[in-house]
Amino acid sequence: MKLQLNMTVNDEAVNIEVEQDARLLDVLRDDLGLTGTKEGCGVGECGACTVIIDGKTANSCIVLAASMDGCDIKTIEYLSKDGKLNPMQQSFIDNSALQCGFCTPGFVLSGISLLDRNPNPTTEEIKEGISGNICRCTGYEQIIKAVEDVRDKKYVKDGACNE
Amino acid sequence: MLNYFRPKTIKECLEFITDERVYIAGGTDLMVELKKGHDLSNKTVIDLTHIPELSGVKKVYGELEIMACTTHDDIVLNKDVNKCLKALSLACRTVGSPQIRNKGTVGGSVGTASPASDPMPALMLADGRVVIINKKGEMREEKLEDFIIKPGVTTLKNDEMILSLKVKSLEDYKQSFFKIGRRKALAIARLNFAMAILMNNDETIKDIRIVVGAALPVTKRFYDIEKKLIGKKITKEVIEQVSKQISEQVLAIAGPRKSSEYKIPVIRNVINRMLKEMEV
């Protein structure tokens, strides 16, 4: 039996029928075509499927889609506006903070969420902020540096769009 | 086919309770079970995340009442918890990852009865009680020690649900929580400790509370050891003695394991470190 679901995804109202046991990840990817959200481990450990729900990060692979009724969801697709990247995205590129790129959407959202909550985190706090995301290519140094550069307002005046 | 319900109030929620009920709050356990192939067909899945009354912390008469669906992150940010039961703030900060803390709930952590629950030692430290409501609306309270029977098993009946957790305010106590896992983030605890101490003016112990989890099938408060420490000063010898007694009891309950040899010095060092952190 399907269930009616009303939610907001990337500022757009979504009214959709979902299976009762569908995961948010599958609804985003398969029904809404938002494939920027990735499935890694599928058990809430790697963070590749990170999205922002009502202002807080969550692993969409362990979120029941049905429970998202009335919720506000933001995915990686939300970030760039009019062809301009979000500062965090630009900083990841400039710092070579990605290799295969599979973990990147999750890291970018965790970084943004951290700075929303704590605009001036220490390196240690940045490490904690991204601790729910795992990268198996680059190592974490460049990723931490990328978040630090956004923290240090390196992108305030250049071309990157500001949220 | 599973039946999914999304009640908006506790009253409405009680109406959906059947013998085949399964609750979902943060989903950080249940969704993983589902992925592993746990069969939910013919079950009534009751989603507790849309019931505002089930979340938040109330302070009443020297106690905190933490509603069941309060997330670990809500607890970390809560000023009353930070003031009255610091060990619980510290414990919730070590759960999983930011993503898990944003979803996982304290009621879920208690309800799943995992021996490695991080909030559990801190809740037991403060004489934690579970407040339970049944389908008829009748309430009962049970001490956490009695509520948890064994890993994954509690006294919760099919027609009941967890409403909240009540803990004593330990505002005047120095408190500490310590967790050992294989890595810092996303690690299941191998050993976790919660401790609270109240000192007299003459530097003797007025009250002490010691709880150990994860290394045991059920998290345990060491009442007998605590009692013997009252009135004593914290000396090297006393610490050595306490560490030895705790280690012995842990090994006696858990049985000898490959990790036993490693656990005794670890327990001693952790206790030392926690006392140092609490500056007693």
Side-chain angles (χ1 to χ4, degrees), chain B residues 56-67 78-86 88 123 126 129 131 164-170:
Chain B
V57 179
K58 293 175 226 165
K59 197 177 173 190
V60 252
Y61 306 114
E63 274 195 345
L64 293 181
E65 181 169 17
I66 303 166
M67 301 313 288
N78 187 279
K79 286 195 181 99
D80 287 327
V81 176
N82 220 346
K83 194 171 160 204
C84 303
L85 191 53
K86 176 105 183 140
L88 184 62
L123 294 167
R129 280 143 36 232
V131 182
S164 67
L165 291 140
K166 283 188 180 168
V167 290
K168 192 181 161 183
S169 167
L170 298 180

Side-chain angles (χ1 to χ4, degrees), chain B residues 4-278:
Chain B
Y4 171 86
F5 295 105
R6 198 167 44 211
K8 296 249 184 328
T9 62
I10 293 168
K11 194 167 169 256
E12 196 186 339
C13 179
L14 298 177
E15 288 167 20
F16 290 128
I17 294 179
T18 68
D19 276 352
E20 296 301 317
R21 56 99 184 121
V22 172
Y23 299 113
I24 182 164
T28 55
D29 273 306
L30 188 71
M31 293 300 287
V32 175
E33 290 299 314
L34 203 63
K35 165 98 180 170
K36 285 185 190 158
H38 186 102
D39 189 15
L40 283 183
S41 50
N42 303 320
K43 296 278 185 193
T44 301
V45 175
I46 306 177
D47 186 343
L48 305 177
T49 58
H50 290 252
I51 307 175
E53 316 161 67
L54 270 187
S55 144
V57 179
K58 293 175 226 165
K59 197 177 173 190
V60 252
Y61 306 114
E63 274 195 345
L64 293 181
E65 181 169 17
I66 303 166
M67 301 313 288
C69 289
T70 310
T71 65
H72 298 110
D73 191 58
D74 291 337
I75 288 176
V76 170
L77 297 174
N78 187 279
K79 286 195 181 99
D80 287 327
V81 176
N82 220 346
K83 194 171 160 204
C84 303
L85 191 53
K86 176 105 183 140
L88 184 62
S89 308
L90 297 170
C92 287
R93 198 167 292 174
T94 74
V95 172
S97 64
Q99 289 93 323
I100 299 290
R101 294 195 284 277
N102 287 342
K103 279 274 154 211
T105 66
V106 70
S109 182
V110 167
T112 53
S114 157
S117 160
D118 289 312
M120 188 64 78
L123 294 167
M124 281 194 183
L125 199 67
D127 307 325
R129 280 143 36 232
V130 194
V131 182
I132 294 157
I133 189 166
N134 72 9
K135 197 173 166 63
K136 289 182 207 155
E138 295 160 341
M139 311 238 288
R140 70 179 175 100
E141 283 188 21
E142 194 166 23
K143 279 175 75 180
L144 272 169
E145 278 113 322
D146 301 326
F147 179 71
I148 311 280
I149 297 171
K150 58 180 183 179
V153 183
T154 68
T155 66
L156 196 74
K157 299 187 194 86
N158 283 342
D159 69 339
E160 292 180 324
M161 66 179 269
I162 299 176
L163 200 61
S164 67
L165 291 140
K166 283 188 180 168
V167 290
K168 192 181 161 183
S169 167
L170 298 180
E171 199 176 333
D172 301 331
Y173 289 65
K174 291 198 168 168
Q175 300 171 41
S176 176
F177 175 85
F178 196 86
K179 167 177 176 173
I180 296 173
R182 287 202 174 146
R183 62 195 287 274
K184 203 167 173 186
L186 288 161
I188 307 286
R190 302 272 140 182
L191 263 170
N192 53 19
F193 292 76
M195 215 193 275
I197 298 188
L198 189 62
M199 300 297 283
N200 289 312
N201 288 334
D202 64 353
E203 291 182 358
T204 58
I205 297 170
K206 188 172 181 189
D207 190 23
I208 184 164
R209 294 152 181 252
I210 308 167
V211 186
V212 178
L216 300 164
V218 175
T219 301
K220 181 179 163 65
R221 191 170 151 194
F222 291 88
Y223 291 101
D224 50 338
I225 296 174
E226 292 171 4
K227 234 180 260 169
K228 283 187 233 159
L229 286 167
I230 290 169
K232 286 194 178 160
K233 285 194 176 174
I234 300 170
T235 62
K236 223 175 161 184
E237 290 72 35
V238 168
I239 292 170
E240 190 62 32
Q241 218 179 348
V242 172
S243 309
K244 196 164 166 274
Q245 285 168 352
I246 291 177
S247 311
E248 279 169 5
Q249 287 202 27
V250 168
L251 295 184
I253 301 165
R257 309 234 175 137
K258 279 183 185 157
S259 57
S260 297
E261 218 172 300
Y262 141 91
K263 275 175 185 154
I264 298 170
V266 165
I267 289 174
R268 180 174 54 237
N269 291 340
V270 167
I271 289 174
N272 260 312
R273 194 162 156 175
M274 290 171 82
L275 289 169
K276 211 175 272 175
E277 266 176 23
M278 290 188 285

